Amino acid sequence: MTEKGSAAPVARTVLQQCLQARLQVKPADEQSEAQFVQIERGMVIYICFFKGATDDVLSKMVSTLLNLRLCESDSGKLMSVLELPGSLLIVPQATLGGKSKGRAMQYHNNISKEDGLRLYGAFVSLCEKELTAAAAASGGSGAEVTVKHGTYGNRQVLKLDTNGPYTHLMEF
Amino acid sequence: MTEKGSAAPVARTVLQQCLQARLQVKPADEQSEAQFVQIERGMVIYICFFKGATDDVLSKMVSTLLNLRLCESDSGKLMSVLELPGSLLIVPQATLGGKSKGRAMQYHNNISKEDGLRLYGAFVSLCEKELTAAAAASGGSGAEVTVKHGTYGNRQVLKLDTNGPYTHLMEF
């Protein structure tokens, strides 16, 4: 959703809940097999930055996404991914910035590759910091939560297993 | 994406490419096991209607979504799901209509359950009609394509296997 009355968004995210998600971070080549990262229960964040996005937006984005009550506890109560606690899989997804023109999608509003890579890296770091802090504050209940993420610019080969993805759109 | 300059959208869709997708259409109960539908290669359409949506929007939606070049052929060329040809899995997803207020999501702009159910059914029928017509026109290349869909109002227990979901947002 776009905040009402605000300027054009500088970032778009799509959020899905998962029981397990696995993402390729390095394709196979002649020397080695493909490499994957995997999370168990938690949230997948697909993310795309637009032109005009700066570091200023990251803190609000991370705070909002990680504290929104989007996840379902075992008892069916809605809670945030930090409260659950759940893991995060962060997937760069430039296609989210597409606008249709005729039968083709165009990506003119997407951020440059260099700026996108930098913001994506900073976003991932901030998520790691928040999740670690929340896990420490909860006294280490034993649930192992992690932040995993895709490689910016790569094809995001993804496998997702959900108990209902509860797909949400959040723009910033 | 929202069409520039247009009024508030009446429908929101998120599109993902898949190699295989499996969706629960009936949960297990005391009498029977859970029931699932499954597609192989094709596109998953998550869909949510807003207040004010009428049948008038459906034809343009289906035509746009099924003809946009979002799918990758074996040779890496972008083509539409009709051209591929690929299957469709249509997933009602009311959460897509959410707006955040504080830490909660609100769904005040979502269509009523009755109207949503009717529009969803009509959308699925129209997709079936288009896919069947395209398959017939292509002379039946042997590729078996189908339209499968979730049950409106149910929890959408989903498993997704992709070669890159290429997540897109389209609003109407």
Side-chain angles (χ1 to χ4, degrees):
Chain A
M1 37 127 285
T2 313
E3 300 298 324
K4 47 275 166 195
S6 66
V10 295
R12 177 172 291 159
T13 60
V14 166
L15 315 167
Q16 293 189 313
Q17 305 304 310
C18 71
L19 295 175
Q20 188 178 80
R22 193 171 100 120
L23 182 72
Q24 183 180 282
V25 289
K26 191 172 168 296
D29 60 25
E30 281 146 30
Q31 278 79 48
S32 53
E33 294 189 352
Q35 289 171 21
F36 295 87
V37 292
Q38 181 171 317
I39 65 166
E40 306 303 316
R41 190 173 178 191
M43 186 160 78
V44 180
I45 304 179
Y46 306 90
I47 185 167
C48 173
F49 290 102
F50 295 123
K51 278 176 186 156
T54 64
D55 291 87
D56 296 348
V57 76
L58 296 177
S59 156
K60 189 193 169 188
M61 280 182 77
V62 171
S63 165
T64 301
L65 296 177
L66 272 49
N67 286 293
L68 270 174
R69 296 196 191 98
L70 301 172
C71 312
E72 200 183 34
S73 74
D74 291 332
S75 62
K77 198 183 156 201
L78 285 176
M79 43 178 63
S80 73
V81 69
L82 291 181
E83 289 168 330
L84 196 57
S87 293
L88 290 176
L89 179 65
I90 306 169
V91 184
Q93 193 80 159
T95 49
L96 269 181
K99 285 192 182 196
S100 64
K101 180 167 183 184
R103 297 180 53 208
M105 294 303 281
Q106 298 185 328
Y107 302 92
H108 297 321
N109 204 28
N110 279 23
I111 201 164
S112 72
K113 200 159 175 183
E114 299 70 38
D115 287 344
L117 176 58
R118 187 178 51 78
L119 288 174
Y120 176 70
F123 178 84
V124 169
S125 297
L126 213 47
C127 285
E128 285 167 343
K129 203 175 124 194
E130 290 290 320
L131 204 70
T132 306
S138 78
S141 60
E144 203 176 302
V145 297
T146 56
V147 176
K148 304 285 186 185
H149 64 94
T151 309
Y152 195 87
N154 271 16
R155 174 191 289 265
Q156 305 299 322
V157 175
L158 176 75
K159 250 189 212 226
L160 188 66
D161 190 1
T162 83
N163 194 23
Y166 294 99
T167 313
H168 283 95
L169 171 71
M170 288 291 292
E171 295 179 339
F172 297 90
Chain B
M1 37 128 283
T2 312
E3 301 298 324
K4 46 275 166 195
S6 65
V10 295
R12 177 173 291 158
T13 60
V14 165
L15 315 167
Q16 293 188 313
Q17 306 303 310
C18 71
L19 297 174
Q20 188 178 78
R22 191 169 101 119
L23 183 71
Q24 182 179 285
V25 289
K26 189 172 169 295
D29 59 26
E30 280 146 32
Q31 278 80 46
S32 53
E33 293 188 354
Q35 289 172 20
F36 296 87
V37 291
Q38 182 170 316
I39 65 167
E40 306 304 318
R41 189 173 179 190
M43 186 160 77
V44 180
I45 303 178
Y46 306 90
I47 185 167
C48 174
F49 291 102
F50 295 123
K51 278 177 187 157
T54 64
D55 292 87
D56 297 347
V57 76
L58 297 178
S59 156
K60 188 192 170 190
M61 280 181 77
V62 171
S63 165
T64 302
L65 297 176
L66 272 50
N67 285 293
L68 270 174
R69 296 196 192 98
L70 302 173
C71 311
E72 201 184 32
S73 73
D74 290 333
S75 62
K77 198 182 155 202
L78 284 177
M79 42 177 63
S80 73
V81 70
L82 291 181
E83 289 169 329
L84 196 56
S87 293
L88 290 175
L89 179 65
I90 306 168
V91 183
Q93 193 83 156
T95 48
L96 269 182
K99 284 193 182 193
S100 65
K101 180 166 182 185
R103 297 180 53 209
M105 294 302 281
Q106 295 185 329
Y107 302 92
H108 297 320
N109 204 28
N110 280 23
I111 202 165
S112 72
K113 199 161 177 183
E114 299 70 39
D115 287 344
L117 177 58
R118 188 178 52 77
L119 288 174
Y120 177 69
F123 177 84
V124 169
S125 297
L126 213 47
C127 285
E128 286 168 343
K129 203 176 124 192
E130 290 289 320
L131 203 71
T132 306
S138 77
S141 60
E144 203 175 303
V145 297
T146 55
V147 177
K148 303 285 185 185
H149 63 94
T151 308
Y152 195 87
N154 271 16
R155 173 191 291 264
Q156 305 299 322
V157 174
L158 175 75
K159 251 188 212 226
L160 187 67
D161 190 1
T162 83
N163 193 25
Y166 293 101
T167 313
H168 283 96
L169 170 70
M170 287 291 292
E171 294 179 338
F172 298 89

